Amino acid sequence: MKTNDFSAPRRMSKSAFVIFLVNNLWLYAKYFLFIVILELFNSEKKLSFIEAALDFLVVLAICLTLAAVIAFINYYSKKYYVENGNLIFIHGLVRKEITSISLTKIHSLRTKQGLIYRLLDMKGVSFDTLASQSEEIEMILDNEDWEALLSRIETLDSQTQIQASEADKIEEKTDGYTTKLSVGNLNLIKGALCQNHLRGMVVFGSILVTLYDQIISVNENAVEYFYGYMATHADFLRLSLSSCITVAAILYIVTLLLWLGKVFLRYFNMDIRIDREQLFFESGLISRNSSRFSYDKICTVYIKRNIIEKWLACSTVMLKQALNATDRNRGADVRIYGSDSATTFLDWWLGKDYASSQPIVSAQSGYGLLGYTIRFDLLVSLAAGIALCYFQYYGWLWLPVVYMISLIKGIFAVRRSSITLKEDYVEINSGKFAEVKNYFKYSNMEVVRMTATPFTPFYHRVNLVISTNGSSFTIRSLKEQEAKEIYELLLYNCYIK
C-alpha cells in the first residue's frame, strides 16, 4: 500500500512519463511538420508516393524515439521527498543536483491541468520562492499525492502562523475560506469586450507574420509566385472605399473573436476563494491553471476602469505578486475581467477601513508628461508630413494632422497622473483613456528614486520612481519641492512600518 509521508525519495507516478512524452511530442511536432513541408515543396527532389511515405515514416519514427527517450530520462532522473520541513528535489542524470525548498518559505503554489493531465487524473505542480534565480522544477503528481503534500504544507504553514500569532499576541487565523467570488462567463465576455481591442489586432498580426515567415522559409519560389500574382491582378484587387471598410470590419470581427478566444482559454469558469491569509485562484477552459498564495506575497493591487467599463459598472482587477524567474516567464499576476470586485480585494488586502485612511500629501503631474506621452506620435506625424510635402501629396496632409489626435491622449495622461500618500498605503493614479489606480503598502516598497530631466533647471520638475518587489512606477513632471517632500515621507514610512 502506498504511503504519503514522503519521508523516502520517490519518483513521480508512472503516468508522469506519459505526460512528459506528450509534451515532448508536442514540442517536436513543429519540427516534424517543417521537415514534411520542406520535402513537399522541394522541387529538386523527385520522389514517388512510396518513397515519400517511407521518408515520412522514418522522420516520424525518429521524432517518436527521441521524444520517448527524453521523456524517460526526465521521468527516471527526478525524485523528491520531504525532510525536516524541506521539500527536496533530486534531479539530473549525468550530473545530479539537489534542490531544497523550505515548505514554510514557498512563495506560491501553482498547478496546471491540461487535457492530458485531466485524462490521467494528474496535476502539474510548481513551487516558487522569491530567492529562485531560475524556474522551479515542475512535479507531476496524482491527486492523492497532491492532496497529501498540500496537507503537509498547510500543516507546517499553520504551525508557523500560530507561533507568530502567539509571539505577537495576534488573533489566531481561522481555517477555511470565508469569501468565494464567482466571475460568470458572461461577465468574462463583457470584461473582455471592454479591453483595448488593438490586442486582437496584435494576435491576428502575429499569426500573419508567422505564416509569412513559414512561407519564406519553405520555398522562395512561393513568395515570387505570390508577388507575381498580385502584380498581374493589381487592377482587379484594387478596392473601393466601401470595400475597404467592409474588409476592415471583417478583419476587426475576426481579431475580436481571436481575442475573446484567448481570454476564454485562460480565464473560463474563474474560481476565486479568499480567507483571512490566503487567496486561491483557478481558471481555464482546456487547461485548468491555479495559484495559491498568501496575501503578504501581493505587492500591488491594480484597478482599471475605461469609459466602457464605467458604463457597464465593472472593472479590471490585477493582483501583482513579487516576481521570480518562473513568474516572469509564465505571468503570475491574477487578472479578473468584467467584475466589480475591486472593493472586495482592497478590503481583504488593505483592511476594511482602508477607505477611511487619511491622506498625508499628494502631487499632480505637470505638462511635461504631455510631451513625454506624445513624443513618438509627434515624430511620426512630422516625418509623414515632410515625406508628403517632398512627394507633393499635399491632399494627404490631413492624415498626420488627424494622427495628432494623440494630443488628447497626452492631456488625459496629465489629468490622471498623480500620487497620494495615505496613512496606511500609497495610491498612484495613471492612465490615458482609462483610469488606472495602483495601491501598495509602505512595507512593500524597496526603492525610491528622484531623477532630474534636462528641463529641471528651467521648470523645476522632476520624476519620482518607486519600486516594490514586483512592480515599478514612474510619476513624471512633479514639482521639485513636492517630490522631495514625498520622497522623504516615503523613506520615513517605509522605515517605521
Side-chain angles (χ1 to χ4, degrees):
M1 181 177 179
K2 182 173 69 173
T3 59
N4 288 332
D5 60 356
F6 306 106
S7 59
R10 58 193 295 175
R11 290 189 176 90
M12 292 175 277
S13 168
K14 291 181 175 62
S15 298
F17 168 75
V18 178
I19 294 175
F20 282 131
L21 178 61
V22 172
N23 288 340
N24 287 336
L25 288 175
W26 180 254
L27 178 65
Y28 299 145
K30 59 182 179 182
Y31 301 109
F32 173 73
L33 291 175
F34 175 77
I35 294 173
V36 171
I37 294 173
L38 192 63
E39 289 291 323
L40 291 176
F41 281 89
N42 191 348
S43 58
E44 297 179 358
K45 191 175 181 181
K46 303 294 184 181
L47 296 175
S48 65
F49 176 79
I50 296 178
E51 290 174 329
L54 287 175
D55 282 357
F56 174 85
L57 292 175
V58 169
V59 174
L60 180 61
I62 292 173
C63 289
L64 287 173
T65 303
L66 184 62
V69 170
I70 294 178
F72 179 76
I73 292 173
N74 282 336
Y75 167 75
Y76 187 80
S77 62
K78 293 178 180 177
K79 293 182 180 180
Y80 69 97
Y81 63 100
V82 176
E83 183 180 66
N84 298 327
N86 296 316
L87 179 63
I88 300 174
F89 294 102
I90 303 174
H91 53 99
L93 185 65
V94 178
R95 187 183 69 177
K96 286 193 177 295
E97 297 182 15
I98 298 177
T99 302
S100 178
I101 299 177
S102 172
L103 295 180
T104 59
K105 299 295 183 181
I106 289 176
H107 167 54
S108 62
L109 284 174
R110 305 181 195 285
T111 69
K112 69 176 181 181
Q113 273 193 299
L115 181 60
I116 303 299
Y117 288 81
R118 293 161 80 174
L119 290 175
L120 297 175
D121 200 22
M122 303 286 286
K123 287 181 183 290
V125 185
S126 297
F127 302 84
D128 297 336
T129 65
L130 289 178
S132 59
Q133 297 298 318
S134 60
E135 289 190 51
E136 303 293 356
I137 300 171
E138 181 191 48
M139 294 172 57
I140 301 176
L141 306 176
D142 57 33
N143 279 332
E144 183 181 352
D145 283 347
W146 161 243
E147 293 295 338
L149 185 59
L150 180 61
S151 176
R152 185 80 175 266
I153 293 171
E154 290 178 341
T155 300
L156 286 173
D157 192 41
S158 297
Q159 291 173 354
T160 302
Q161 291 171 0
I162 291 172
Q163 291 172 0
S165 298
E166 291 175 349
D168 298 330
K169 296 182 179 180
I170 300 175
E171 181 183 357
E172 184 177 347
K173 172 184 176 292
T174 58
D175 295 324
Y177 293 98
T178 59
T179 303
K180 181 174 181 179
L181 300 179
S182 179
V183 181
N185 294 320
L186 289 177
N187 272 354
L188 186 61
I189 295 174
K190 180 176 70 173
L193 291 175
C194 289
Q195 306 311 309
N196 185 353
H197 295 172
L198 290 177
R199 297 186 184 187
M201 299 296 289
V202 172
V203 175
F204 187 68
S206 64
I207 294 174
L208 292 180
V209 169
T210 302
L211 290 175
Y212 180 76
D213 288 342
Q214 291 296 324
I215 291 173
I216 291 178
S217 62
V218 170
N219 197 330
E220 293 181 359
N221 294 329
V223 181
E224 294 177 2
Y225 174 79
F226 173 76
Y227 285 135
Y229 179 86
M230 293 293 291
T232 304
H233 300 83
D235 292 336
F236 175 76
L237 295 173
R238 188 175 294 132
L239 300 176
S240 63
L241 179 60
S242 60
S243 300
C244 289
I245 294 175
T246 303
V247 171
I250 293 173
L251 288 176
Y252 174 76
I253 293 172
V254 170
T255 53
L256 200 59
L257 291 175
L258 286 172
W259 166 243
L260 287 173
K262 181 181 177 181
V263 171
F264 249 66
L265 284 174
R266 179 64 183 85
Y267 298 108
F268 181 78
N269 276 354
M270 190 182 301
D271 180 23
I272 306 169
R273 284 173 278 166
I274 302 173
D275 69 12
R276 294 182 59 188
E277 300 292 340
Q278 192 178 70
L279 181 142
F280 173 81
F281 176 82
E282 184 179 57
S283 64
L285 178 59
I286 298 174
S287 177
R288 296 292 291 178
N289 298 285
S290 73
S291 185
R292 183 190 308 262
F293 49 88
S294 60
Y295 87 103
D296 58 353
K297 300 299 189 293
I298 296 174
C299 63
T300 307
V301 175
Y302 162 102
I303 299 169
K304 178 185 71 69
R305 291 185 179 92
N306 58 29
I307 296 175
I308 305 176
E309 286 174 320
K310 288 182 178 179
W311 286 347
L312 298 177
C314 64
S315 62
T316 299
V317 180
M318 191 188 310
L319 306 181
K320 297 185 178 182
Q321 300 183 62
L323 297 179
N324 62 6
T326 304
D327 299 332
R328 292 187 182 94
N329 290 335
R330 296 184 182 179
D333 299 331
V334 173
R335 191 186 300 262
I336 300 99
Y337 291 120
S339 176
D340 195 13
S341 55
T343 303
T344 301
F345 288 107
L346 290 174
D347 283 345
W348 171 66
W349 192 56
L350 296 176
K352 293 188 179 298
D353 57 345
Y354 82 93
S356 61
S357 184
Q358 296 300 311
I360 302 173
V361 65
S362 63
Q364 179 79 34
S365 293
Y367 282 97
L369 178 60
L370 172 64
Y372 180 84
T373 303
I374 67 171
R375 64 195 188 285
F376 292 121
D377 298 331
L378 186 62
L379 290 174
V380 169
S381 296
L382 183 61
I386 293 173
L388 290 172
C389 289
Y390 178 80
F391 291 105
Q392 298 182 356
Y393 291 130
Y394 301 112
W396 292 92
L397 285 174
W398 60 271
L399 282 175
V401 173
V402 171
Y403 186 71
M404 279 311 298
I405 197 172
S406 62
L407 183 66
I408 300 175
K409 175 179 68 176
I411 293 174
F412 275 117
V414 173
R415 290 180 58 185
R416 298 188 190 282
S417 179
S418 65
I419 178 172
T420 301
L421 272 62
K422 297 197 174 185
E423 292 175 341
D424 303 309
Y425 60 91
V426 179
E427 178 183 322
I428 296 179
N429 296 324
S430 60
K432 301 177 181 69
F433 296 110
E435 178 185 88
V436 176
K437 293 180 180 291
N438 288 279
Y439 301 85
F440 65 88
K441 302 173 185 177
Y442 292 103
S443 57
N444 294 119
M445 192 174 59
E446 292 193 347
V447 178
V448 184
R449 188 168 66 250
M450 191 167 59
T451 62
T453 70
F455 304 101
T456 298
F458 306 101
Y459 300 102
H460 302 288
R461 295 272 180 172
V462 296
N463 300 333
L464 195 64
V465 182
I466 306 171
S467 298
T468 70
N469 51 11
S471 54
S472 183
F473 308 97
T474 301
I475 306 94
R476 301 184 183 277
S477 191
L478 297 175
K479 290 181 179 179
E480 190 172 11
Q481 190 57 42
E482 292 179 349
K484 285 181 178 178
E485 183 182 2
I486 291 174
Y487 176 84
E488 293 172 357
L489 285 171
L490 283 172
L491 293 179
Y492 173 76
N493 283 314
C494 179
Y495 176 76
I496 65 173
K497 294 188 183 289

